[in-house]
Amino acid sequence: MKILVPVKRVVDPYAKVRPLPDGSGLDLGNVKFEINPFDEIAVEEAVRQKEKDPSVEITVVSIGTAECEDQLRKALAIGADKAILIETTAVFDSPGIAGELAELAKELSPDIILMGKQATDDDCNQAAQMLAAKLDWPQATFASKVVLSGQSASVTRETDSGEETLQLPLPAVITSDLRLNEPRYIALPGIIKARSKPLDRRPAKTSPSPKTRIAFMETPAARSAGRKIANVDELLSALKERGAL
Amino acid sequence: MSRLLLIAFQGHEAEQLSGFAQKLGLPYDVLSLDSKAALDLGADLVIQVALSDIPPADGLAKGLQPIVAPYSHIAAVSNMATKDVLARLAGLCDGSMVTDAVDLDSPTLFKRPMVAGSVIATVKVLALPVFLTVRPAGFPKPAKQGTSQTSQVSLVLKSKASRIDSTSRGGARPDLSQAKVVVSGGRPLKDAATFEQVIGGLADQLGGAVGATRAAVDSGIAPNELQVGQTGKIVAPDLYIAAGISGSTQHMAGIKDSKTIVAINKDPDAPIFEFADLGLVADLYQAIPELREKLGK
């Protein structure tokens, strides 16, 4: 059983980021970078599957600059077996990422591609579904539980009104939602061990022609601060005044 | 040719998107997967697809592919179901995609939030067709206009994935993303029974929906599908009442388009008071019963 987990290097999801004054991009001065939290959940899930079934082999892949090695090493420290860094400075949008990952999937023939439902920087929620379409594999997005048995996966996924369980023949694409698991704390021995795990650096097979481009970034209009009210009676009369009741 | 197709998974979604269609300014049709679609929204054609059950994304996207082929723009209300299917359709059709559009400047320039709502990006579409999931709050509904022709289509849908179980916890309350009133609670609600009694009780009295914070959902006080925020549901009701909610960035990103936000929290320094229109520093266990009693009069 081979699981491929794409991971994205993203700006620290807990940092307060702002656009540059000229709107040309994000102000990334003094900001840390992390593994996309949803991808970290995907890595953790793959490792838990490996703990249940030692035949599972986990490859993590990142597409980006040489610095993505940090995030790949973290994924290796969680318990992935090996890493691929597709090194590029080109801008890949979601369709571009899906195209490059599709090429890699053809080469590696994984049984499952497990990745975050979205990246916390662009919040797109597109690449996995586009990848599944290109490969003509079934998909289960927003997964909250994954059970593997033989050549199929049973995935419980969150829906707008509750949840549902899909039975997927493999190979398949699965995206992790918040409640799939809580990633483990990585202890020092894991970090040291990760340094000696194989990391294959290679160029991209595709040259991206972006289908969208971010033309401008701005800070959203702030809500004007309201007022404090003293008690429930005042609240009721204020609501009536505003026509909210 | 520039032409828009609105895909409505449920009847009311076409109505919610009529403001978007008008602002986009392209002639448009509606594809409804639900027989209840309105016919007076100014669409030229309403294509009705009879489906007893919406199949998993792989089969649905493949079935829709020939129908969407003539269109330059394909849009649906932004939610989990549409993100699942439209991104797959975009992949099949080799198109571009804009998730969570909140505004537009032209048929190829769309605004959308990113980085948990702390940035609004203007996205230039470089390749058509473009698939969009749209947050309706930014596009006011126009008055009813022009009736549409209708046509019926039958689809052959074959999914590799099969649905083996499905739980819908809708109940009698209005849908969270549609409701005019939303009452939400946070972690201080202690347990599921207290949450239902205090938050659910007030919501029912106001004819509203119930929402929850991520912390409340994570601690098992409220079910997943009630989570409001950047990683949950985006709501834009006339009245949003937040009880025992401190106001994290990711929660606020999901409610900022609400007309009136009321915060009830006993911590006077809670960040939510910087956003709320009306802030009441009070213990929710006293304020909410008092509010319910006085509302009942």
Side-chain angles (χ1 to χ4, degrees), chain A residues 124 136 141 160 164 223, chain B residues 84 99 160 163 233 256 279:
Chain A
C124 274
D136 196 21
T141 51
D160 294 296
E164 65 178 17
R223 269 189 91 92
Chain B
D84 187 39
T99 308
K160 290 182 184 174
R163 186 178 289 116
K233 293 236 166 60
K256 65 180 178 49

Side-chain angles (χ1 to χ4, degrees), chain A residues 60-78:
Chain A
V60 288
V61 58
S62 198
I63 300 170
T65 60
E67 293 155 312
C68 295
E69 180 173 346
D70 296 346
Q71 284 65 47
L72 288 171
R73 292 287 175 206
K74 178 163 184 187
L76 292 170
I78 296 170

